[in-house]
Amino acid sequence: MQKKNRAIVILALVRSLFDVLTLAAIVAWALTNFALPLPGVLIAISASLGVALVWALFLSARPVLRADRFARAAVALVFYAGGFAAAALTGVSWVIIAPLFVTVAVIAYFDSWVTTTYRLPH
């Protein structure tokens, strides 16, 4: 049982790292593609709040809206696709984006499968 808990924690940490990178990519996109100071900062703040809201509602460790694993995986796919699209629009090469997107899709799948199959004690 200890190894299962450890795997769940490692998956959650790696997924959290990708969540932060997705948020950073969206904020960087908003700051680099819009005129500063007024529209760029406002769009960056609203985009980061929107991403944080979607994450809190569906993708956090204790989501506000409970969904089955397929809906959670679909929201995660849209969440990460938005982040990687933002990274592509800021000028990051597809050679870097494509392997990261495949990696995050696999991690999101395993994370949704593990968290619905095995429950950690609270």
Side-chain angles (χ1 to χ4, degrees):
M1 188 65 178
Q2 185 69 6
K3 288 188 176 190
K4 290 178 186 175
N5 289 346
R6 186 174 181 190
I8 292 171
V9 169
I10 289 172
L11 278 173
L13 287 174
V14 172
R15 186 168 177 170
S16 298
L17 173 70
F18 280 112
D19 291 342
V20 170
L21 288 175
T22 300
L23 178 65
I26 290 174
V27 170
W29 164 78
L31 289 175
T32 58
N33 287 338
F34 295 99
L36 291 176
L38 191 57
V41 173
L42 290 177
I43 292 172
I45 290 171
S46 61
S48 62
L49 287 176
V51 168
L53 180 68
V54 168
W55 179 83
L57 288 177
F58 295 102
L59 301 176
S60 67
R62 294 187 181 163
V64 175
L65 300 176
R66 296 274 179 186
D68 64 343
R69 67 180 183 182
F70 300 110
R72 185 175 173 167
V75 170
L77 184 65
V78 170
F79 178 76
Y80 294 126
F84 288 117
L89 289 173
T90 56
V92 178
S93 173
W94 283 101
V95 176
I96 297 170
I97 293 174
L100 284 175
F101 188 73
V102 170
T103 304
V104 78
V106 169
I107 288 172
Y109 169 76
F110 281 120
D111 185 50
S112 67
W113 180 74
V114 166
T115 54
T116 56
T117 305
Y118 304 106
R119 298 284 183 200
L120 283 175
H122 296 283

